[in-house]
Every structure is written in C-alpha cells, then in structure tokens.
Amino acid sequence: MDGQLLSEAFVELTDTMVADFDIIDFLHVLTSRSVELLDVSAAGLLLADPRGELRVVAASSEAARLLELFQLQSDQGPCLDCFRSGHPVAAPDLASDQRWPKFAAVAGQAGFSAVQALPMRLRDQVIGALNLFRATPGAFDADSVHIGQALADVATIGLLHERNMRRSDTLNEQLQTALNSRVIIEQAKGKLAERLGIDVNQAFSLLRDQARNRNQRLSDLARAFVDGTQTISGPASGSARASRPGIRQPRPGPRPAS
C-alpha cells in the first residue's frame, strides 16, 4: 500500500475547515481514495436524509452508483444491513450468499462478486455506510477492512466537525444540502455526457476537475452548466490530472501482492 497516498487521503478527509468546503467533492474523495488504496474495484456511499432514509451521495463509478440505487429500491443489501445494525457486513461470495438474492443477482450482472459494507459511525450515531465492491470472490483482508473503516470514521468525524464549525442547527440540514446538490450534479453529468459524446464517469471527472480549476463548488458549476450560464468543453481525459486518477471502472481482479 502507498503510505504517502494513505497519508494524503487522511489529510483530505480532515480538511473541512475551509470556507468553500464542498460536501459532495469531500464525499467523492472518500470513495475514490478507497478504490485507490484498497484491493477493491469500486466504492459507493450512502447517507441518511432528514427522515433517516438512505440516499446515494457518492460513488467511484456509474456501475457502483446504479447498484447502490438498486439496493435502496429493492430494500435489501449489505449496506442497508450495515446502516441499520451499525456494524460491518461482509459478503465474500455473493453468488452463494442467500441474504440478498435480488441484490446479489444485479451485483453479479454489474461485475461485482464480493462486498464489504462499513458503517459511517461516531459512537452510537450512524449517519450512513460505505460499500466496497470487488470483481472477484473472496474474503476482504483484515488490513483493507481496518483501513477502510478508518477512512469512513475520519470522514464521519470530518462531517460532524464541519457542522459544528459552521454552527449548523442539525446534521440533517447539511445532509439535505448534499442530497439536493447531488440531484443537480446528476443532471449536469447527463447533459455533459450527451453533449460531448462521453460516458457519465468521464463527464463527472471533467465536471469535478473544471470546478476545482475554476475555484467553484462542484454543485455551483453543475447548476450553472444546467441553466446555461456557464459552459464546459473538452474531453475528460484532457482534464484529468496525473496525481488524481479519478473514477475507475471495476478491475478484473485483485492487484498482485507487493
């Protein structure tokens, strides 16, 4: 594992004290860094809305996002069980797992064979869950689970700390803002993908990179693009930075041990 990348990830997940803190970009860092650091193919993140219902707020790939949505629609899956119990839930071989038959079938079609769900929790307060997906079956190694949980814990503390720093009335208000922003970002992704003839993963990478280059919130740029007050052009590959690989598609299997 890349120790420097791990250190950078923890720094990113604790840097919530800036004036232009962008919760959607922050949550995307959690999913993208999880894929970069751990032996996983994709990651998705669900957070509870003001009514306590889970919503998809970030994913490292479109395949993971759609699978998370299906999990919510079918009301079954490891992430839901993880959120409800407040404890990690492991599914090393979905093909033989009988707990969530609908979820397992759709996950297999999406190219995922194993899942590890980790709670977004601080003491007794559970605000969501992080899902780690892998293309090949097999138990997740203890180190990966430990680091994944640490990333989820740091992100949870960061969200709660940011709420306190901004003196928000409730965490629910912050999460509702994130959910509202996510809707406009999904609209911008679809519009940009159609306009440039690229897939939605590339569209999100391009949107995120240009927001950072312009020193704008991701949601603000997305809203401006949707209403036509700002334009975005150029292929996603041209805007991606070498130091941040961006969103990845599911890999065929685990990386060779170093």
Side-chain angles (χ1 to χ4, degrees):
M1 181 175 296
D2 189 327
Q4 181 177 351
L5 185 59
L6 179 60
S7 297
E8 291 175 354
F10 280 115
V11 169
E12 287 180 292
L13 293 173
T14 55
D15 187 18
T16 60
M17 298 175 65
V18 294
D20 59 346
F21 173 70
D22 189 331
I23 187 172
I24 291 295
D25 189 64
F26 173 82
L27 297 174
H28 176 73
V29 166
L30 175 58
T31 56
S32 61
R33 290 309 195 201
S34 295
V35 173
E36 292 167 16
L37 287 164
L38 309 176
D39 183 23
V40 299
S41 305
L45 179 64
L46 304 181
L47 289 181
D49 68 10
R51 295 176 296 177
E53 297 179 3
L54 287 175
R55 305 293 182 187
V56 181
V57 292
S60 66
S61 72
E62 184 66 6
R65 188 185 74 86
L66 293 176
L67 183 56
E68 296 284 41
L69 285 172
F70 178 82
Q71 186 173 193
L72 296 178
Q73 292 167 357
S74 62
D75 194 32
Q76 65 168 240
C79 210
L80 273 68
D81 287 0
C82 176
F83 172 72
R84 290 163 179 166
S85 69
H87 298 289
V89 175
D93 186 0
L94 286 169
S96 60
D97 200 310
Q98 302 300 313
R99 288 174 289 180
W100 322 285
K102 294 179 181 179
F103 171 82
V106 174
Q109 294 171 5
F112 302 120
S113 299
V115 181
Q116 174 71 57
L118 302 169
M120 298 279 290
R121 179 189 62 203
L122 180 62
R123 300 184 180 89
D124 295 331
Q125 185 175 11
V126 183
I127 64 172
L130 173 66
N131 253 359
L132 305 176
F133 301 98
R134 199 169 60 200
T136 55
F140 288 71
D141 67 84
D143 287 343
S144 293
V145 174
H146 178 74
I147 293 173
Q149 186 64 69
L151 291 171
D153 290 345
V154 169
T156 302
I157 293 170
L159 288 172
L160 295 173
H161 177 70
E162 199 277 335
R163 177 200 65 177
N164 291 333
M165 289 296 295
R166 307 303 173 204
R167 298 184 179 180
S168 302
D169 291 334
T170 63
L171 177 62
N172 287 337
E173 292 180 2
Q174 182 191 60
L175 297 184
Q176 187 61 58
T177 297
L179 295 171
N180 293 341
S181 296
R182 190 75 218 184
V183 172
I184 196 68
I185 289 169
E186 291 300 321
Q187 293 175 357
K189 280 168 53 180
K191 180 178 178 180
L192 187 58
E194 180 179 8
R195 178 165 298 181
L196 298 182
I198 57 180
D199 65 36
V200 289
N201 288 333
Q202 292 174 307
F204 180 74
S205 181
L206 176 57
L207 185 68
R208 183 170 179 252
D209 284 344
Q210 292 212 9
R212 289 190 167 192
N213 291 337
R214 301 180 189 188
N215 292 318
Q216 284 184 275
R217 289 177 182 267
L218 183 59
S219 55
D220 289 343
L221 177 58
R223 185 172 291 103
F225 176 66
V226 169
D227 65 25
T229 57
Q230 289 193 49
T231 60
I232 298 174
S233 61
S237 60
S239 65
R241 292 166 292 177
S243 61
R244 297 179 184 275
I247 301 174
R248 300 179 179 178
Q249 293 292 340
R251 296 196 300 268
R255 296 187 297 269
S258 56

